[in-house]
Amino acid sequence: MDMATLMPILGVGIVIIAIIVLFTFIPVTLWISAIAAGVRINIFSLVGMRLRRVVPRMVINPLIKAHKAGVDVNTNQLESHYLAGGNVDRVVNALIAAQRANIELSFERCAAIDLAGRDVLDAVQMSVNPKVIETPFIAGIAMDGIEVKAKARITVRANIDRLVGGAGEDTVIARVGEGIVSTIGSSDKHTEVLENPDSISQTVLTKGLDAGTAFEILSIDIADIDIGKNIGASLQTDQAEADKNIAQAKAEERRAMAVAQEQEMVARVQEMQAKVVEAEAEVPQAMAEALRSGNIGVMDYQNLKNIMADTDMRDMIGKLSEQEDEDPGKNKKE
């Protein structure tokens, strides 16, 4: 094959490659779709998006959607939001939904809400169609000590102005739970709460619990109410048991002190008896010394022994008389 035949084939190949590169780098089909939808955009703007590492269809498709819905946004706004890491399609959908619902919402605020991590489309839909949040059973104790459990349904509407920096659903549930506990606790009897559960919702609703949150509370309805334990009786029982244990501990302490004092007295008695025995042991020695020194004579010693014998005899007679007084029948039989 000569060069004259090869050159046309090579030229056709180069043209095909150029067309493929053109359609790959320049989104011609997307540009045609935008022109057909009435969106005036320069094809070089699409090339600039490629150079800025922006996916053109992520900007142009939402722009076409906004143009058809009559929402006033431009390419620079959508592209800057994309580069900031936002969801362009969701922002445009939220703007369209807000316009249909006659809710005043600017692109800047909508983009700020999206960049804050909140679902701006869900917030707009919640502004139109309020959401119902159901709390778990919240227990409160009335003044008579009876536990009352209540479950509430909170109807909330998104507050667009407070979505950025506003507290979420958990805060609303916590505040409502605190209000329910406070209302039940201020009731004199649990029957008052059972008779008029609507008083709980009315009292809680007047506290302005949605302040600082991303929601506006429309209503608080008590869905279910139940009776729990008799906490007052349980506390009294526990207190009585504690008082009993304290009294038992004090009684045991007094008993131990009494036993210790008794043992101390026994020891003192034994000590005194030992002293008596010691003193009695010194008597014979003193008598012997008196005899040796001539302070007493033999007759004096004999008289002392006779006196001691008489004393022992009287003791024996006294003991026998006591036994007869205690058991007179026994002596008669004998």
Side-chain angles (χ1 to χ4, degrees), residues 290-312:
L291 288 172
R292 280 196 299 268
S293 61
N295 291 329
I296 61 173
V298 176
M299 293 304 296
D300 295 330
Y301 178 72
Q302 289 297 328
N303 291 332
L304 178 61
K305 296 292 286 182
N306 291 332
I307 293 172
M308 293 175 63
D310 291 341
T311 302
D312 292 338

Side-chain angles (χ1 to χ4, degrees), residues 100-111:
R100 294 291 187 269
N102 292 325
I103 298 175
E104 185 178 353
L105 181 63
S106 64
F107 176 82
E108 288 74 15
R109 178 172 293 277
C110 191

Side-chain angles (χ1 to χ4, degrees), residues 100-172:
R100 294 291 187 269
N102 292 325
I103 298 175
E104 185 178 353
L105 181 63
S106 64
F107 176 82
E108 288 74 15
R109 178 172 293 277
C110 191
I113 294 172
D114 183 64
L115 292 176
R118 294 187 180 274
D119 191 338
V120 61
L121 179 59
D122 182 67
V124 173
Q125 291 173 348
M126 193 185 299
S127 298
V128 179
N129 185 20
K131 179 180 179 181
V132 177
I133 303 173
E134 185 169 326
T135 67
F137 270 108
I138 300 171
I141 303 174
M143 290 185 180
D144 58 357
I146 305 299
E147 182 184 35
V148 180
K149 298 179 181 179
K151 180 186 290 186
R153 286 193 177 98
I154 312 165
T155 304
V156 297
R157 179 171 58 195
N159 192 328
I160 302 296
D161 294 333
R162 294 202 300 252
L163 276 177
V164 178
E169 294 183 10
D170 294 338
T171 302
V172 174

